[in-house]
Structures are given as C-alpha cells and as structure tokens.
Amino acid sequence: MSIRQIEAYEPLTLLSVVSFVKEKGLIPKESRVHCEEIGDGNLNLVFRLVDQSTNQTLIVKQALPYAKVVGESWPLTLDRARIESEALQEAEKLVPNLVPKVYDIDYTFAATVLEDLSDHVILRKGLIEGKQYPHLANDIGTYLAYTLFSTSDAALSPQEKKKRVVQFTNPELCQITEDLVFTDPFFKSETNNYPQELQPEVSELWEDSALKLEVAKLKQKFLTNAEALLHGDLHTGSVFVKEDSTKVIDPEFAFYGPRGFDIGAFFANIILNYIAQEKRIADLGKREEFQAYLLEVIEETWQVFKNTFTALWQESAVEKFADVEGYVNYVLAVTFEDTIGFAGCKVIRRTIGLAHVEDLDGIANLDAQLEAKRAALKTGRSLILNRQNITNVKELVELVRSANS
Amino acid sequence: MSIRQIEAYEPLTLLSVVSFVKEKGLIPKESRVHCEEIGDGNLNLVFRLVDQSTNQTLIVKQALPYAKVVGESWPLTLDRARIESEALQEAEKLVPNLVPKVYDIDYTFAATVLEDLSDHVILRKGLIEGKQYPHLANDIGTYLAYTLFSTSDAALSPQEKKKRVVQFTNPELCQITEDLVFTDPFFKSETNNYPQELQPEVSELWEDSALKLEVAKLKQKFLTNAEALLHGDLHTGSVFVKEDSTKVIDPEFAFYGPRGFDIGAFFANIILNYIAQEKRIADLGKREEFQAYLLEVIEETWQVFKNTFTALWQESAVEKFADVEGYVNYVLAVTFEDTIGFAGCKVIRRTIGLAHVEDLDGIANLDAQLEAKRAALKTGRSLILNRQNITNVKELVELVRSANS
C-alpha cells in the first residue's frame, strides 16, 4: 500500500505524522513506529514518535492556524512555525547544547522535527516541586549572552542585522505580548483574570499613573528597540531541565527587541516561584533554603550573562566603537535596567492578566494564594518603579527579598 | 513612427524620457516637449520636461545603479527609488502642501514623475545668500510633527507599523549614514576630508573618549530605535523654498528610526549656516540680524513641532497609554535630547567627514574658513556632550550663540 502524498497544510494526525516523518527519511519506511500526541493543544500539535526497532525518538511540532485561550479561539499565523524553527536554528549555531536539535523544517505543514527531550522536565514544574538545578543559572546566563550579543549590531554588519529584523518580524505574536503583558493588566480589560478579592489592589494599580507612565516607557521599548533577536517568551515553561542539562524551547515569539525583555521574563518567573514558595513550603528551613537558591539563580544568571557578554564583546564585536571606554558597561547598564522593568511587568501580568502561572494558581489554600498574589503585585510594581535606582544584581535580589518578608 | 517600448531598466536619456512620460499619459503624445537634465549626476538623473503647447512642466527623477562620490563609484540599490517615492506618498497624505506631488512611480525604471518646483530655490542656497523665509520654521515644524507622529506606534496599530518598518527597510542608504555620520569622522578613516590645518582639532576629537562614548550611544539609537518613518537626510539641501512655500524633497534615505534624527539634521544645517555667516556677512548689524533669524528658525521649528505633535497625540493617538500623565512630554523630552545629539554629529561630519556643505566650504578667505570649521567642531562637540543638560529650546539656542561668540 503506498503512503498518501500530502501537499497542502492540514493538521497532522497520529497516522499521517508517521508518513510525514518517513517521507523525510528521518525514520526508515519499514520501521514500526509508536506515536502519541503530547501537546496541550492550545497553539500547536506535538507528536512524539518512537521507532520501535531502534528506540530512536523524535518530536514533530506543528502550528495550528488558531489559538485557543480560555475557550476562545482566534486565527493565528502559521508563519510562527517558520519563525520558531529559524530562531532555534540561530540558537543552535551559537549554543548547540542549550537548545533542541532541529532535524527538519517543513514550511508547507508549519511543522518542525525536533530532538526528543522527554528525559527532561519543564523547569516550572521542577521549581514548583522545590527541585534545584545546579547548572541552570550558568546555562541560562550563557544562552542569554550568546543569543543577545551575537544577533545584535555589535556582532553583525548593520546590513545583515537589518535582514534578520525583517526575517523575524512577528507582528501577530508580538501583539499578544503588547496586549497581554504591557496593556491589558494596567486597564480594565476583558482579558484580565483575577479573583474578586484582589479588586482593591487591581483598582489601585489602574489608578497609579506614576506606574503606568513607566509601563508605557517599557512598552515603547518593546515596540521600537530592535536590539537583538529575542526568544520572546522565556518563562520557566520554555525551559527543559534535568540534573546536568538545560534546553531552551519554544521561541515562537522570537523577534528583534530589547535585550532586557528575555532576561526579565526569566527573572520574573523565578520571582513568581519565590513568592509562591512562601506559601507552598511549610517547613521554614527548607523554604528559606530553596528561596535562597532561587535568588542565587537570579544572581548567578546575571553574573554569567554579564561576564560572557563582556567577553564576547571584547573578543568579537565588529562595531567600531566597541572598544570605547565605558561602552559595553553602558549597554549592560541599560540592559539591566530594562530587565528589572520588564520583569515587573511580567510578574504583574501573570498575576492578574489572561495567562497565569501554576506556581501561584496552584496554591491550594485560597487565602494563602490571595496573599501571594498581593505580594506579587507589590513586587512587580516595586521592580518597575525602582529599576533606575537598582545598580547591581545584589540590590535586585534584596528588593525581591524585602518585598516578600 | 512608433515609440520604442522599454521593458527593462536602463538609464533614461533626453530622448527616451519623453516617450517614457508620454506612454504614461502624463503628456499628450502629440505635444512637442522640451527636455533638459538638471541633476547633479551623483546618484540620480533628474529631467525637467516642458510641454510646449501647454507650458505644463514635470520632473522625472531616476535612480542610477551606482553612486559617484569624490570620483569613486560604488554600486547602490535601485530600491531606493521605491523607498523615496513611497515615502513621498506617505508624506503627501499627511502634509500635501509641504512635499512635491507624485504623479507616477515606475518600479522597472526606478523612476518617479514629480511636480516641478523650479520656481523654488534650494534652502541652503537661499540661506547662504542671507535670505529669510517667513514660513520656513512653521512649515518644517508642521512637516516634522505630522510625519513623526503619524507613522509611529502612537498613531498606527503595531501590526500596521511593523509592515511599514519592513517596507522602509533601507540597509544600503542607512549604511552611508552609519559610516559617514556616526563612524568615520570619529576615527582616522579614508573617507574623512579636512584641511591639514585642522589636524590638531581632529586628533583631539579622535582621542576624546567621553565624546566617542556619547556618539556610540547615538549611533546605537540610529541602528535600533524604529520610532517613526524618517526622511533620513533632512538637511537644507533637501528643502525647496520660496517666499510663501516650503517643500521637503528627496527622502531616499527614508527608514524607521529615532524621531530626533530628522529634527537634528535640520537644526545642524541651520547651525552650520549660522557659523558660516559669522565669516560671510561683513556688516555686523546685518550679520546679527540674520543670525538672530536663524536662531528663531530653530526655536520656532521646535515650538511648532512640539505643539503640533502634542495636539496630534491628544486628538488621535491610538496607543492606550497615550493619556497617561506625562507620557507625551516624556516622548518629547527624549526626542529633544536626541535632536541635540544628532545635530552635533551632523555638524561634525559636515566639517571633517566625506560630504561637506557649501555654507562652510564656500567661505573664500581660507583663514576665516578654518576658523569657522574650528567653531563648528567645538559647537558639534558641545551639542553632543550637553544634550542631557539642555532642557528647552531657548537653552539650545543659547548654547549655539555662546559657542560662537
């Protein structure tokens, strides 16, 4: 029986995905293949295939032409699959050990064939369970330094960089961020999602014009500053970990934006976990130990980022002004300030905006959950408003600690 | 005799340009047409056509596939003709009285058919002759406010704006600015062009690391901040004037960049004329009167820009944060600071970089010319280094005055 040729986009099925992969020669035609769909079904189909003769495994990730969020469905470009896979390829050139391998990109099907990382767990899940990952900070700091340096004007000719800005123009997915991170949480918006008990704190936020002015400035940076190719959604659900390995996945929000946005997204989600653990870990000693670990992750991630970025800059910057005294430190200072501000926006949006995090929402005791969410709002606001006064990462960590003690 | 069909790019000639325009129906086929080439031949051919039966006139501007600068020739994309004509069309929608009418765009020929403005003169020439234009500041301030507001994220949906960023991606012409404005003048570079007598001042500039750090920051803004669709080369040679009319021409350097770059380019060229007139107008009373006029142009241009931009913002901003207290003033403050810095870079590059201005180079007495150039370098440096301390346009005008008294 011949395998049916598929020539136009259609959602893959448990059956057709096997043909799809065999036609590409990634699994021999004669192999028996076990296949399951393991995605959450909101934006993408994710299939895991096992060649039963060799036990070789593969992931096929296919974009769906719509997004499902809280029961609603809206059309969403398939072009994001191209952006995601091309962003992964860029990262693979720079930090091959920190991203899944890309075996194939199929533009017709908006599908990417990827290395299977089933031996890893999602970092968010690991952190919620109180697990520590000794390589995490070093790996993420390294990932951030390589990707944020090597895709910028410091490392590329302006002509090459402008080509990539066009290549990674991602209006639809950027709009999700523009709306759900930077806008809706700060106004009475239908997409917001918070328990009624938080209304006083939320109303206070909406009336806080000093805060809104700072958020407007941060949003403007997100809209205009094409500094580097970002992951675009670097929360702890976009990181796979195991004891000795870290993999950054899912860069479908990739675009050219301000460096601090990726670092801030990661820090925000570590901070959200820190706040949640205040209520989750009952044993004081264990809690303090784990929270100290989380703050060390922030501190070490920044230090590794900063040192690696500086070394890359000194070794390989093509920008003629690169050696001018103070220039790389200026770039790092701006990135740090932006990081703190973007982290603050992300903490707030994950608390009262459309998309939440399990760290907070999974706190079983509802009063404790409300307390944690109030602490998150307070911390987010403080990060945004104080970002210009915080000059080093120890002060940042201190702000997080003191806002939650 | 049939007119020869032209189907692929070739440089137009006095003969073929007539057929070209008649085929488009812009001049009747039976008309006798007088035609002359009036361009400077460096980058473009510019033909002026007169229909001798109606005296109707037209301009045909065609991009050449190379640029000639100081005898050298390098290839240059014809796509700049598309960018120029599409940028003109954008401006025509916003400020129809302040740009030439576009009658036709021919992508094959990289040619645009434009309104003839031969009754106007180039502003640089007029200012060198000491002529005052009473509408100039109001017109340029209005042009800047409409173009810099209406093409930005404040006025367009982020999706529409991102489309335009791609449409106006202009790597080759941006590179000319990146090299000749922001880089080469601040390093020992082959493209630099200055009299040997200035070597001490030039060397001092190259060793001034505080200055170079600030120029690096400004260059980074130019490379990364896609705030609004800029003209990209708004010097006084890109403005046509007569007593009661102002027309901004030649936006072939158009791209999405920082708002302050256009305003700074205009101010820089007014400042260069101010410095040159110190040596050009012998009569003290006349000189002071004309220099006062030039400073008024700067002051009024900024005020008109600021007021018009604010009014447009208040009336028609689509950005949800637009009404947040202090936001428009923040945008204007950043724009003003950038304006001053970019003006400083432009003053320096027109003094020691590749492309000079007639205002300075045309000063017949060589000692006086050298003095003027020294004053220009001093003024440019002061603008760049003091841009954060100057909080209003009166202080800017005062800086220019005191740096040259």
Side-chain angles (χ1 to χ4, degrees), chain A residues 121-354:
Chain A
V121 298
I122 287 290
L123 174 60
R124 184 182 309 285
K125 191 167 172 293
L127 293 180
I128 288 174
E129 291 167 3
K131 299 233 170 72
Q132 299 187 18
Y133 299 94
H135 297 275
L136 175 65
N138 187 62
D139 287 346
I140 296 294
T142 303
Y143 170 89
L144 289 166
Y146 274 87
T147 56
L148 299 179
F149 171 77
S150 305
T151 62
S152 79
D153 282 298
L156 298 173
S157 78
Q159 302 225 10
E160 177 60 29
K161 186 251 190 168
K162 287 181 183 72
K163 256 189 231 161
R164 297 197 193 188
V165 172
V166 172
Q167 179 188 356
F168 291 103
T169 294
N170 197 354
E172 288 192 35
L173 276 79
C174 280
Q175 198 188 347
I176 294 176
T177 306
E178 287 148 13
D179 290 347
L180 299 186
V181 176
F182 290 107
T183 312
D184 293 356
F186 301 94
F187 296 89
K188 188 169 162 56
S189 310
E190 278 187 17
T191 60
N192 288 335
N193 171 24
Y194 53 84
Q196 195 47 45
E197 291 88 337
L198 285 186
Q199 190 59 55
E201 287 82 0
V202 172
S203 295
E204 207 178 316
L205 202 100
W206 293 344
E207 285 154 23
D208 188 340
S209 70
L211 179 71
K212 286 166 88 168
L213 176 57
E214 298 311 311
V215 176
K217 294 177 188 176
L218 288 160
K219 181 180 177 185
Q220 195 188 44
K221 281 216 168 186
F222 184 85
L223 286 165
T224 58
N225 287 26
E227 295 171 1
L229 178 60
L230 306 188
H231 178 284
D233 195 27
L234 191 55
H235 56 77
T236 48
S238 297
V239 181
F240 260 138
V241 279
K242 58 178 185 175
E243 181 71 13
D244 58 351
S245 168
T246 311
K247 304 279 185 185
V248 175
I249 62 169
D250 290 352
E252 61 196 331
F253 284 76
F255 78 111
Y256 263 81
R259 278 178 287 264
F261 188 75
D262 270 1
I263 316 176
F266 182 69
F267 285 4
N269 282 270
I270 300 292
I271 293 168
L272 285 161
N273 188 264
Y274 179 101
I275 294 167
Q277 297 297 6
E278 192 69 28
K279 307 298 173 191
R280 283 176 169 274
I281 307 180
D283 181 290
L284 179 65
K286 278 195 186 157
R287 187 204 309 154
E288 285 183 349
E289 189 213 327
F290 191 70
Q291 287 183 318
Y293 162 72
L294 293 172
L295 297 186
E296 276 163 32
V297 167
I298 291 178
E299 219 176 304
E300 190 188 340
T301 299
W302 177 259
Q303 292 298 355
V304 171
F305 166 73
K306 184 178 166 178
N307 295 340
T308 312
F309 188 93
T310 304
L312 287 168
W313 182 287
Q314 286 166 346
E315 284 157 22
S316 57
V318 298
E319 167 57 57
K320 215 164 170 185
F321 285 91
D323 294 336
V324 169
E325 200 185 323
Y327 190 25
V328 65
N329 288 339
Y330 165 79
V331 169
L332 286 165
V334 170
T335 303
F336 188 60
E337 181 188 318
D338 293 350
T339 292
I340 301 169
F342 289 131
C345 296
K346 289 257 184 179
V347 165
I348 290 174
R349 83 90 157 216
R350 291 293 189 185
T351 308
I352 61 171
L354 180 65

Side-chain angles (χ1 to χ4, degrees), chain B residues 294-304 393-394 397:
Chain B
L294 292 172
L295 297 185
E296 277 163 32
V297 167
I298 291 177
E299 217 176 306
E300 189 188 341
T301 300
W302 177 260
Q303 292 299 355
V304 170
V393 71
K394 285 205 185 294
V397 156

